[in-house]
Amino acid sequence: MKIYQEHTWPHNLEEAIAIQEKLRDRIITEDRFPEPVQYVAGVDMGFEADGTISRAAVAVLSFPHLQVVETTLARRPTTFPYIPGFLSFREIPAVLDALEKVKIMPNLILCDGQGIAHPRRLGIASHLGLLIDLPTIGVAKSLLIGKYEEVPETKGSWQPLIHKGETIGAVLRTRTGVKPLYISSGHRVSLPTAIDYVMRCTTKYRLPETTRIADKLASSR
């Protein structure tokens, strides 16, 4: 997979904020799929040696059958601290290493984290999508910013996630009676399309298969 590097990696928060502010206006929240979706991928992160080593996993699945066709792993030293809102600087370098090993090109990537549901509208899914120039979706397990109305308990129900008067995502119930997920456009995907693909990638678990399998790969020893 070709990586379109847009910047050097920061050493402090001031540099990281400047990068986010610079890149945010390049994010596209409309559907820009160059070809039909035949492969979807999940990316996730784990850490080893007390967090000093980043372990990135990529799982590529056929679509719509959701059969695993390829997995890759990559490790590298962790160079940025854990700070909410800045996870892309901690995680993307290793994710890029794992993506460079991928031989079957996914048409869409679901990321374990936020897309534009982020204070500067550049969560890890948006940041990654811009760097690799592929459609991405943010699929987060917890809320970073925004408010929403109560989501009905039934599978497929959702409520808009609002921040400063702007709809930045959706709070989506992927299973009846189970905690919802926080879905947002990453890059080159609209919110309605993001919701649709998350549901189509979800089977009997709370997480879509892409995220669930990548999570297992990233956290297993």
Side-chain angles (χ1 to χ4, degrees):
M1 178 182 293
K2 185 174 182 180
I3 308 299
Y4 296 85
Q5 288 283 4
E6 295 263 341
H7 58 76
T8 56
W9 294 99
H11 298 95
N12 54 56
L13 277 184
E14 290 75 18
E15 292 177 0
I17 290 170
I19 289 169
Q20 290 178 337
E21 295 287 0
K22 176 183 177 182
L23 298 182
R24 60 181 292 175
D25 292 335
R26 301 185 191 179
I27 296 301
I28 298 169
T29 55
E30 300 174 352
D31 293 331
R32 300 280 179 88
F33 290 85
E35 53 194 353
V37 176
Q38 295 180 300
Y39 298 101
V40 293
V43 299
D44 204 352
M45 286 291 302
F47 294 90
E48 302 174 357
D50 296 323
T52 61
I53 301 296
S54 300
R55 173 185 172 122
V58 177
V60 182
L61 283 63
S62 63
F63 184 85
H65 302 295
L66 303 178
Q67 300 298 309
V68 177
V69 296
E70 185 180 8
T71 62
T72 65
L73 283 172
R75 294 176 176 85
R76 68 152 57 197
T78 306
T79 58
F80 202 85
Y82 172 80
I83 305 172
F86 298 90
L87 294 188
S88 61
F89 300 105
R90 179 177 173 85
E91 299 184 0
I92 284 182
V95 169
L96 293 178
D97 289 346
L99 285 170
E100 284 186 310
K101 298 180 180 181
V102 168
K103 294 181 174 60
I104 300 174
M105 178 71 71
N107 309 107
L108 173 66
I109 296 180
L110 281 67
C111 300
D112 179 29
Q114 311 290 347
I116 66 165
H118 180 275
R120 285 165 295 283
R121 306 298 186 259
L122 198 88
I124 187 169
S126 297
H127 197 161
L128 179 64
L130 194 62
L131 291 179
I132 62 177
D133 195 30
L134 280 178
T136 54
I137 298 171
V139 183
K141 296 187 285 288
S142 59
L143 178 69
L144 180 61
I145 59 167
K147 297 182 179 180
Y148 59 94
E149 301 293 330
E150 184 175 350
V151 183
E153 290 290 321
T154 54
K155 178 179 178 177
S157 299
W158 65 276
Q159 289 285 353
L161 181 62
I162 309 295
H163 182 245
K164 296 183 177 179
E166 177 186 358
T167 298
I168 59 171
V171 186
L172 174 65
R173 190 87 63 182
T174 53
R175 285 192 66 197
T176 298
V178 172
K179 288 182 179 180
L181 297 174
Y182 301 87
I183 311 303
S184 56
S185 301
H187 182 51
R188 291 172 48 180
V189 181
S190 68
L191 181 58
T193 298
I195 295 169
D196 179 55
Y197 272 106
V198 169
M199 289 304 302
R200 292 171 72 184
C201 289
T202 301
T203 56
K204 60 182 179 179
Y205 301 99
R206 177 191 180 211
L207 295 176
E209 288 298 282
T210 45
T211 307
R212 190 179 69 85
I213 293 168
D215 176 74
K216 288 179 66 176
L217 289 168
S219 58
S220 62
R221 297 295 176 90

